Amino acid sequence: MDSAARRRYKALPLIANPWEQTQDQHPHHGIPNGIPTTSTANNDKSLPTVTIREDDSGAPAFRERGEASSIELFYDLFFVANLTSFTAVHAIDDRKTITSYIGFFAILWFTWLQVVLYDVRFGSDSLFERLCKLLHFGAMVTFAIIGTRFDPSRPHDTYVTMRQLSMVLIVSRLVLICQYGSVMWWVRKYKSITTPLAVHVVSFGVGALLCLGFFFAFTAGSSGQGYVVWYVIVAAEALVVFVASGQWPKVGFGETNLDERFGLLTLIILGEGIIVLTK
């Protein structure tokens, strides 16, 4: 097999290096001038040389992100599909149903947001990342199933649904902990990067534990108001991530495509809304 074919059919790594660059790969925005790089030796000259881009402090710089990948866009479509299935089952025509819709939308949106905040900074292609993506897709599918029965105004009848939703939130946070943990392993020598990532992991761990506590709180005889804590948890997690990213710019959003992901999701939602209005 020639060198071109070997590069084309390169085996997918188990866990990908989040800052790996190669001479034969072309980053979305290229390697900026003036930024030093470190190359690793390669005994096989037919294979690309691995290059690690470093910042002024000598810490590794993560890949710059450009266009959203196909799998990321597919994940956005799952988000919109959840909203569509919810509105198809629930007639949103009074205060109670509007409140229920806003509540479901908030949980769904914050879950989508956390996945996107990871992808735009540390997303890579590996067997591990694909497995995590599969679990995130599974969470979205479960949201779609739960959404048809989501009704906080009837806690005695829907406490099982509330428990299921708590479990989905727990699994989603455990997957994020594994993803951020894998990045921490790659940058374990750089405290300026591991510290904010550890803050991320702790926030998701606390959120998962709280969701687990409220999983058991939802019973047939409960008041049903415990679901309000979900919104506090997901909002607090997002606040922690944004604050930590602002305090430690090395894990910030300066060179990411976060604005593109928000713009694409907005366009998809508007397009779905127009389709609904024309029916």
Side-chain angles (χ1 to χ4, degrees), residues 12 71 124-135:
L12 196 66
I71 194 170
S124 57
D125 192 15
S126 66
L127 294 175
F128 170 76
E129 287 292 333
R130 292 190 180 187
L131 175 61
C132 291
K133 268 287 184 284
L134 181 63
L135 293 174

Side-chain angles (χ1 to χ4, degrees), residues 31-88:
I31 298 177
N33 295 327
I35 296 180
T37 59
T38 301
S39 298
T40 60
N42 196 326
N43 295 329
D44 189 344
K45 301 302 181 181
S46 65
L47 296 179
T49 301
V50 175
T51 302
I52 298 176
R53 184 165 59 92
E54 299 176 348
D55 59 20
D56 295 335
S57 65
F62 296 101
R63 288 189 183 97
E64 297 178 17
R65 300 300 303 273
E67 298 178 356
S69 65
S70 300
I71 194 170
E72 290 172 344
L73 294 176
F74 195 52
Y75 185 72
D76 295 348
L77 290 176
F78 264 78
F79 175 91
V80 180
N82 269 278
L83 297 181
T84 303
S85 63
F86 186 92
T87 55

Side-chain angles (χ1 to χ4, degrees), residues 259-277:
D259 55 344
E260 181 197 18
R261 292 298 301 276
F262 277 119
L264 289 173
L265 181 67
T266 301
L267 289 175
I268 295 173
I269 293 176
L270 289 176
E272 181 65 25
I274 292 174
I275 293 174
V276 173
L277 289 176

